[in-house]
Amino acid sequence: KQVIDLKYNVSEAYVTMGLAHYAFSEYNKAIDAYTKSIELDNQYKDAYYNRGVACYWLSKNEQALADFEKAIELDKKDAR
């Protein structure tokens, strides 16, 4: 259980790092952080959603759409 908790916390930390990069319009760095989060926890919907937003700002529309669809698939109740 501790390993699972640590993995989740590290994944969440990468999302937080991505949000910081996003706030400074460092979209490629944000995407890298969100991608690392997804590699650690491929069920973390916020990582997909946030990566989709960053991709959108870089006109990576196909990747953005794929990330938004994955976020919705993971949590249909929170389809922003």
Side-chain angles (χ1 to χ4, degrees), residues 10-21:
V10 173
S11 180
E12 191 173 292
Y14 275 105
V15 167
T16 301
M17 184 186 311
L19 291 170
H21 286 302

Side-chain angles (χ1 to χ4, degrees), residues 11-71:
S11 180
E12 191 173 292
Y14 275 105
V15 167
T16 301
M17 184 186 311
L19 291 170
H21 286 302
Y22 179 85
F24 289 99
S25 301
E26 298 172 340
Y27 302 122
N28 285 312
K29 289 181 180 179
I31 290 168
D32 290 343
Y34 300 137
T35 298
K36 185 63 177 172
S37 175
I38 291 165
E39 289 170 359
L40 293 167
D41 180 2
N42 66 359
Q43 300 298 303
Y44 193 13
K45 70 171 173 60
D46 290 343
Y48 287 100
Y49 173 80
N50 290 324
R51 187 173 71 175
V53 172
C55 286
Y56 169 80
W57 284 107
L58 292 175
S59 297
K60 297 180 178 184
N61 297 329
E62 288 183 30
Q63 179 64 51
L65 182 59
D67 284 342
F68 293 146
E69 288 173 344
K70 182 66 176 181

